[in-house]
Amino acid sequence: MAKRKESARTKQFPDESSSDESDIDMLDVEFEWFDPQPEHDFHGLKTLLRQLFDVDSQIFDLSALTDLILAQPLLGSTVKVDGNQSDPYAFLTILNLHQHRDEPAVSALMDYIKKQTKTNASLKVIEDLLNAPAKAQIGLILTERLVNIPSEVVPPMYKMLVEEIGWALEEKEPYSFTHYLILSKTYQEIASTLDQEDGRPQKKKKKNKSMVDELEKQFYFHPEDEVLERHSSAHGGFRYIKEDAAGQSDAKRTFQELGIKPQGHMILIESAELEATVKALEEYLQTN
């Protein structure tokens, strides 16, 4: 039985040969929220984890990480459209980093997080907290969805997570956190290299400051991250360790002249702020 059922609108994209944005159709889809199902969700969750970690996914044992997520079926949610036995289109879960610190998959993930926090001064507080488990208990929130899935599926997953953590605490389960760390991803638009590689004549364009600023601007794969950041105590981006080879960004082009360069992103939220953050998520996505 589904935890929740709700209709939402999702995009159906046109054929790749079409450049007309008006060709995008909107479909009404009925989404259902379920507890993670070990019998049915392994491959779908592993695929979503690979998408979340992007090129750095090869660093991790995604199978072991997926098994760990499925080992706590009463915490977290999946979103499906074809019933309980179908693949998840989105998921959200939380892992107790201190409790699972001796698990090789979690140990590798913690090492990765610490390494990446050193590349951005805004993230130093996260490293400090991870190195002081006696003072801080961090719950790692992992969440991802397929590209066409609307952001409206996200607030119910966070809302159910808050409820499930409350129930777990009543049962004396180890989910008393001081902070929540969300791993996400953003991207920047970058100039395409296709024309140069094809030998096409190029018009020399003078890059003024506004053009450079626009290319360095951060964009969100997950619109809800803007709200999460406003309620965070720290947030910031980092480059992937296994960055794409030259030209790979052109395979992820958003406009005719631009490719995109994904990067990792971390958001730290204090436990006292979580409920207010979830409420703000609901309000933001209802009006956008």
Side-chain angles (χ1 to χ4, degrees), residues 106-120:
V106 173
S107 177
L109 190 52
M110 289 179 67
D111 288 344
Y112 175 83
I113 292 171
K114 290 178 183 180
K115 182 174 182 178
Q116 297 293 40
T117 58
K118 296 180 186 297
T119 67
N120 185 337

Side-chain angles (χ1 to χ4, degrees), residues 44-101:
L45 287 180
K46 185 176 178 180
T47 296
L48 289 169
L49 285 173
R50 185 178 295 113
Q51 178 179 304
L52 173 62
F53 291 117
D54 208 275
V55 292
D56 279 357
S57 63
Q58 59 191 291
I59 296 173
F60 307 110
D61 185 346
L62 296 184
S63 293
L65 198 55
T66 303
D67 284 335
L68 192 58
I69 292 170
L70 292 172
Q72 45 181 37
L74 299 182
L75 204 63
S77 302
T78 60
V79 178
K80 303 181 179 183
V81 298
D82 295 316
N84 191 21
Q85 297 184 21
S86 61
D87 286 335
Y89 283 23
F91 85 99
L92 184 147
T93 193
I94 188 167
L95 296 174
N96 185 326
L97 291 181
H98 182 70
Q99 180 193 16
H100 297 297
R101 64 190 183 282

Side-chain angles (χ1 to χ4, degrees), residues 2 40 65 70 86 93 170 191 226-227 237 246 250-251 264 266:
H40 310 299
L65 198 55
L70 292 172
S86 61
T93 193
E170 290 177 2
E226 288 191 77
V227 179
D250 282 311
M266 297 186 205

Side-chain angles (χ1 to χ4, degrees), residues 26-201:
M26 301 298 291
L27 299 177
D28 288 320
V29 178
E30 188 171 71
F31 293 101
E32 294 180 291
W33 285 256
F34 293 93
D35 292 321
Q37 303 293 317
E39 301 87 354
H40 310 299
D41 293 347
F42 178 84
H43 294 292
L45 287 180
K46 185 176 178 180
T47 296
L48 289 169
L49 285 173
R50 185 178 295 113
Q51 178 179 304
L52 173 62
F53 291 117
D54 208 275
V55 292
D56 279 357
S57 63
Q58 59 191 291
I59 296 173
F60 307 110
D61 185 346
L62 296 184
S63 293
L65 198 55
T66 303
D67 284 335
L68 192 58
I69 292 170
L70 292 172
Q72 45 181 37
L74 299 182
L75 204 63
S77 302
T78 60
V79 178
K80 303 181 179 183
V81 298
D82 295 316
N84 191 21
Q85 297 184 21
S86 61
D87 286 335
Y89 283 23
F91 85 99
L92 184 147
T93 193
I94 188 167
L95 296 174
N96 185 326
L97 291 181
H98 182 70
Q99 180 193 16
H100 297 297
R101 64 190 183 282
D102 293 329
E103 295 280 350
V106 173
S107 177
L109 190 52
M110 289 179 67
D111 288 344
Y112 175 83
I113 292 171
K114 290 178 183 180
K115 182 174 182 178
Q116 297 293 40
T117 58
K118 296 180 186 297
T119 67
N120 185 337
S122 299
L123 301 175
K124 186 180 185 303
V125 62
I126 297 174
E127 181 189 16
D128 294 341
L129 291 172
L130 288 171
N131 288 329
K135 297 180 179 179
Q137 293 291 310
I138 299 178
L140 177 66
I141 293 177
L142 299 174
T143 181
E144 184 58 292
R145 59 184 180 272
L146 297 181
V147 174
N148 291 3
I149 302 303
S151 53
E152 285 80 3
V153 305
V154 174
M157 290 197 291
Y158 273 101
K159 190 172 182 178
M160 286 183 279
L161 180 68
V162 171
E163 293 173 348
E164 289 161 354
I165 289 175
W167 296 333
L169 290 175
E170 290 177 2
E171 298 296 324
K172 309 300 182 183
E173 296 289 337
Y175 295 105
S176 180
F177 300 114
T178 59
H179 299 78
Y180 298 93
L181 177 61
I182 301 161
L183 282 186
S184 190
K185 56 195 290 191
T186 60
Y187 68 92
Q188 292 179 324
E189 293 176 346
I190 65 172
S192 173
T193 62
L194 288 180
D195 291 341
Q196 292 91 323
E197 292 174 358
D198 291 344
R200 300 172 192 168

